[in-house]
Amino acid sequence: MSVEPHGSALSRVGVVGGGQLARLLGEADRPGISLTVLAGADEPAVATCDEVVVGDARDETALRTLAERVDVITFDHELVDLDQLARLEDEGVLLRPGPGALRAAVDKSFQRQLFAGAGLPLPRFVVVDSPHDARLTEFLDRVDTTPVVKAARGGYDGRGVVFTTGRDDARAAVERLGGDVVVEEHLALRGEVAQLLVRGADGQVVTYPLVTTVQRDGQCAEVRYPCDTGHEVEAAALAARVAELIGAVGVLAVEFFVTDAGLLINEVALRPHNTGHWTIEGARTSQFTNHLAAATGRPLGPTTPTAAHVVMVNVVGGAEPPPPDWSRPRHHGDVAVHDYAKTWRPGRKLGHVTAWGDDATSTRVRAWREARAAGTAGGEDA
Ligand code: ADP
């Protein structure tokens, strides 16, 4: 599905960050939209975007250069300086999402406190900046002696997340991570799900179907549509509340823990998200096309799935480098392999595979077969 150019729509988009998401944005169906990426000269998105401003996401001079060349700026990661962005916004630079919304994704402690204040369902938590904080003792007494300790900023793919073994370990983790940390109860999970929605600058919202996500070593390993835990209505309603609360523009991904008591919000991202990569082939409009539509003021495209079952598996480097032809699918027609053109390293995300079809089991088997051929561990049950 392509999003039609619109009368007053903007056409020159700047992307802060040149990682995989910006690379996939560059590959997206985006008629009439040019992309200029603010990135290092050898970052992945340089290959797929139209122009590059070489620089760092937190270099204000580079941000200003980008702003001069484009109509609107969006983001492929959260490692930004919100004060710089607020200054640019004050000067009239159009940022979508804006720094006010981004703060909820950049700073986990802010996010948790904002959401708690709004009555959204969360794990029980406390925010502290010192292992000696009396509130930490009170939390450990009351809630959980083996909590999960999370850095408020800069964590992704499980980095900055510590599963502690006891009170002393929890205190040591708070000390080690430094700054504001979120200490939360260690939940017995029934599963995890992710809700993607896209919100236009005019407040129009489209919602993708809920998906099941499977984590391995703190990293997303697999995403499945349809979701097998239920909770579709609840997840869409909670994500819509979050989007309104923070004033999101573009993709909002909400990751949920599924517990016996229902859904609890784990975290949110305000950019195209790994749990939405399945939409490239699996939905009538991909998350990338819709993110750009929202940023540029175009109407959002339909999010209907293109098949009864869609499975996305991340290709993660195994013990050996993958064979040179790994990204050429062995099976044609209903599987797509995306190669991020990255050098192999064990544990590194090298790409992703999406398979689709009428049958749940064979769709999973096809996706995992391609990922395993590239050295990805897991999926033995597929
Ligand atoms: P990141 O921000 O690096 O993605 P998350 O906070 O999402 O890290 O945690 C990564 C994974 O660790 C989650 O997807 C989940 O599987 C597990 N996890 C995180 N917090 C908890 C918790 N409180 N209880 C149980 N499992 C958790």
Side-chain angles (χ1 to χ4, degrees):
M1 158 82 201
S2 56
V3 172
E4 293 304 320
H6 197 234
S8 59
L10 310 171
S11 61
R12 300 176 306 164
V13 177
V15 186
V16 173
Q20 284 323 309
L21 298 168
R23 181 188 168 93
L24 291 165
L25 265 181
E27 287 178 353
D29 190 10
R30 50 181 173 94
I33 296 177
S34 70
L35 291 186
T36 302
V37 67
L38 171 58
D42 54 359
E43 285 198 71
V46 173
T48 64
C49 291
D50 303 291
E51 283 186 51
V52 189
V53 171
V54 176
D56 185 83
R58 284 179 281 202
D59 173 352
E60 198 162 335
T61 310
L63 280 167
R64 285 179 194 285
T65 306
L66 179 68
E68 278 161 20
R69 298 199 191 166
V70 300
D71 305 319
V72 57
I73 291 179
T74 192
F75 303 87
D76 104 320
H77 62 66
E78 281 98 26
L79 304 174
V80 292
D81 181 326
L82 294 171
D83 294 333
Q84 285 177 352
L85 297 180
R87 273 197 292 280
L88 291 177
E89 188 174 60
D90 285 347
E91 292 164 21
V93 176
L94 193 53
L95 303 170
R96 287 179 172 166
L102 275 175
R103 186 161 178 209
V106 168
D107 183 341
K108 222 174 238 184
S109 67
F110 172 78
Q111 178 194 115
R112 282 292 167 86
Q113 293 173 76
L114 178 74
F115 291 180
L120 290 160
L122 299 167
R124 289 180 293 173
F125 74 98
V126 64
V127 175
V128 294
D129 62 5
S130 152
H132 311 296
D133 194 316
R135 284 170 306 163
L136 179 58
T137 308
E138 191 273 331
F139 182 82
L140 292 172
D141 289 344
R142 181 169 53 90
V143 176
D144 194 345
T145 49
T146 60
V148 185
V149 179
K150 301 181 174 182
R153 288 181 182 235
Y156 64 97
D157 281 353
R159 276 167 262 199
V161 176
V162 183
F163 290 88
T164 67
T165 54
R167 298 174 77 99
D168 291 345
D169 194 29
R171 289 187 199 284
V174 170
E175 179 104 64
R176 197 162 64 245
L177 291 175
D180 274 352
V181 293
V182 176
V183 181
E184 71 186 26
E185 61 181 319
H186 192 165
L187 297 159
L189 300 182
R190 282 183 44 210
E192 294 180 67
V193 296
Q195 177 69 64
L196 220 69
L197 71 69
V198 190
R199 185 164 179 271
D202 59 357
Q204 184 203 353
V205 167
V206 293
T207 307
Y208 284 94
L210 189 65
V211 288
T212 298
T213 66
V214 181
Q215 313 285 321
R216 193 187 170 105
D217 303 326
Q219 241 186 34
C220 172
E222 177 183 347
V223 172
R224 292 196 294 264
Y225 163 79
C227 175
D228 47 26
T229 56
H231 300 289
E232 282 85 354
V233 175
E234 187 185 353
L238 288 170
R241 276 176 65 193
V242 169
E244 279 300 318
L245 177 70
I246 65 181
V249 177
V251 169
L252 166 72
V254 184
E255 294 182 86
F256 292 101
F257 295 131
V258 185
T259 71
D260 288 337
L263 297 182
L264 301 177
I265 296 175
N266 172 18
E267 63 176 341
V268 303
L270 282 164
R271 50 169 168 74
H273 195 253
N274 195 179
T275 59
H277 287 0
W278 69 276
T279 63
I280 298 173
E281 294 84 13
R284 282 189 55 212
T285 315
S286 83
Q287 63 164 344
F288 299 97
T289 294
N290 262 339
H291 186 73
L292 292 174
T296 58
R298 286 166 169 75
L300 306 178
T303 54
T304 333
T306 55
H309 294 271
V310 186
V311 175
M312 194 267 342
V313 174
N314 278 323
V315 175
V316 178
E320 304 281 329
D325 66 342
W326 71 268
S327 53
R328 207 167 35 183
R330 268 134 277 270
H331 187 103
H332 291 278
D334 43 17
V335 59
V337 181
H338 295 260
D339 180 351
Y340 298 167
K342 282 203 217 163
T343 317
W344 161 82
R345 213 191 308 126
R348 190 178 209 190
K349 228 183 261 175
L350 302 176
H352 75 265
V353 176
T354 301
W356 58 95
D358 297 333
D359 173 70
T361 305
S362 68
T363 303
R364 268 197 87 208
V365 167
R366 268 183 287 112
W368 274 103
R369 192 187 295 149
E370 299 293 340
R372 272 206 301 271
T376 309
E380 287 79 11
D381 61 326

